[in-house]
Every structure is written in C-alpha cells, then in structure tokens.
Amino acid sequence: MSDKIRTQEEIAARVKALESMLIEQGVMTTQAIDRMVEIYEHEVGPQLGAQVVVKAWTDPGFRERLLADSTEACKELGISGLQGEDLVALENTDSVHNVIVCTLCSCYPWPVLGLPPNWYKDPQYRAAITREPRKVLREAFSFDVPESVEVRVWDSSSEMRYWVLPQRPAGTEDWSEEQLLALVTRESMIGVGPLAEAA
C-alpha cells in the first residue's frame, strides 16, 4: 500500500508540473483546466454509474433491461459516449462476485465510471487479478470475499466493456435515492471493493 501511496504522490507532482508548464507556455489557461476538472467531477464519472446502479436497485424492469443490454439501458438515463458503445453489466449475487480488468491495455467503461484509476492500468494489477483474484482483493484492496462466494474475473476489451452491478444491501428497501447513491463507490462497480458504509 505504501508503494501505491507514493505512486499517487509522484503522479500528483508530475501532473502539477505539467499543468504549470502548459499554463506558462500559453497552451492552456487555468480556467480551461478548472473546467476540465469540473467536467470529470460532475458531468462524467462514477456518480453516473451510481445513478444507474440505484435505478437498477429500485426499478426491476430497468434492472432487467440493464442486464440484457447495458448500453441501451444507460442511454435511457442519458449516459452514453465514447468507450460506452458495448457496455455489459455484471450482477453480483449471494454466490458470485464479479471483478473487471483489461489484461491487454486499460479498456474501461468511461461513461459509467469516468476516468480509470491509475492502478487499473498498472501491469501488475492486470496480471495478478486474473491469476489470484482473492489474494489481490485482500492484499491490495483490503477486501475479503467470503470463500463461499465464487469470484469471476472479466477481461474487458475494445469490443466489450464490463462493469459491476453491486448487490443491494439488505435493509435498504425504504431508503431514499440519495441514501442509496451514497453507498455506491467506483471500487464497488469495478469489483475491487465493497459498497460504502451507511452513514
């Protein structure tokens, strides 16, 4: 984990240096950079995937459409775009836990999850998660999947971009949409982490 943290700090420093250079050379303005950040924080990203998840949790008909054709179901909510042409939602159940990876490069369902995290593109993650998924989930993400649950690893490609529909927690039947949205994390839609703890 310390390597992961150090890597994040190094990346942040590089991004800041690159940003400063682009501004100094007049390639970009601070306003343009701020707008790009705003787009990825509010207009694309895992919050859109969370909306899809909550809709599937609360609308059985939508859930069926999502599992049958994720691309078309997401379009019903206005979610589509580049790298979202062939989305496949994988449903977690009491007996199956799904995890996504792209072993060739970093194919990722951008419209529902936004930008891929750096570790998703790391060759070590891409190789290890396919060989020893339980070990990687436990050691890299502090996420233990019970032995009674089968772990399935799905390899995304440019033709097929998988993402995970987490299982709705018991006892949330009367929860508001806002409460449910707060549970859904990017990691839970990749399959490397649990839902967030209820507030």
Side-chain angles (χ1 to χ4, degrees):
M1 251 350 180
S2 61
D3 289 341
K4 189 175 177 181
I5 292 169
R6 187 180 70 236
T7 302
Q8 294 293 355
E9 290 170 356
E10 289 171 358
I11 290 169
R14 289 179 185 170
V15 167
K16 190 67 178 163
L18 182 59
E19 179 182 320
S20 296
M21 183 184 73
L22 291 171
I23 292 169
E24 285 173 15
Q25 294 183 2
V27 176
M28 293 193 80
T29 65
T30 54
Q31 293 83 6
I33 291 171
D34 290 344
R35 177 65 183 130
M36 290 301 293
V37 169
E38 182 181 332
I39 287 170
Y40 281 98
E41 284 182 349
H42 303 290
E43 297 174 29
V44 298
Q47 71 274 13
L48 296 180
Q51 291 171 11
V52 176
V53 168
V54 169
K55 178 78 170 167
W57 285 350
T58 58
D59 181 339
F62 179 79
R63 180 185 151 279
E64 286 179 25
R65 293 191 301 280
L66 181 69
L67 295 173
D69 187 339
S70 185
T71 303
E72 289 303 311
C74 287
K75 285 180 183 177
E76 292 178 32
L77 301 180
I79 300 169
S80 64
L82 192 62
Q83 308 220 6
E85 298 87 356
D86 297 295
L87 297 172
V88 176
L90 306 164
E91 184 176 33
N92 283 348
T93 67
D94 289 336
S95 59
V96 175
H97 178 82
N98 298 289
V99 181
I100 64 166
V101 66
C102 176
T103 56
L104 294 177
C105 52
S106 58
C107 295
Y108 190 75
W110 288 50
V112 288
L113 298 184
L115 295 172
N118 290 318
W119 55 259
Y120 184 84
K121 299 178 275 186
D122 187 295
Q124 186 175 0
Y125 167 78
R126 293 175 8 217
I129 195 71
T130 58
R131 287 192 318 267
E132 298 180 287
R134 284 182 194 282
K135 181 178 180 184
V136 172
L137 293 175
R138 183 175 46 258
E139 293 179 5
F141 298 97
S142 301
F143 182 45
D144 275 315
V145 177
E147 289 296 326
S148 60
V149 176
E150 176 187 359
V151 176
R152 293 182 186 165
V153 179
W154 298 81
D155 193 359
S156 289
S157 69
S158 59
E159 289 84 32
M160 195 82 60
R161 295 175 193 270
Y162 298 105
W163 67 286
V164 177
L165 173 59
Q167 192 171 17
R168 183 177 183 168
T172 60
E173 293 76 19
D174 296 326
W175 284 29
S176 69
E177 181 179 325
E178 186 177 320
Q179 288 173 302
L180 292 172
L181 283 170
L183 296 177
V184 185
T185 64
R186 175 178 65 182
E187 288 74 15
S188 70
M189 293 182 285
I190 297 173
V192 297
L195 294 166
E197 295 288 325

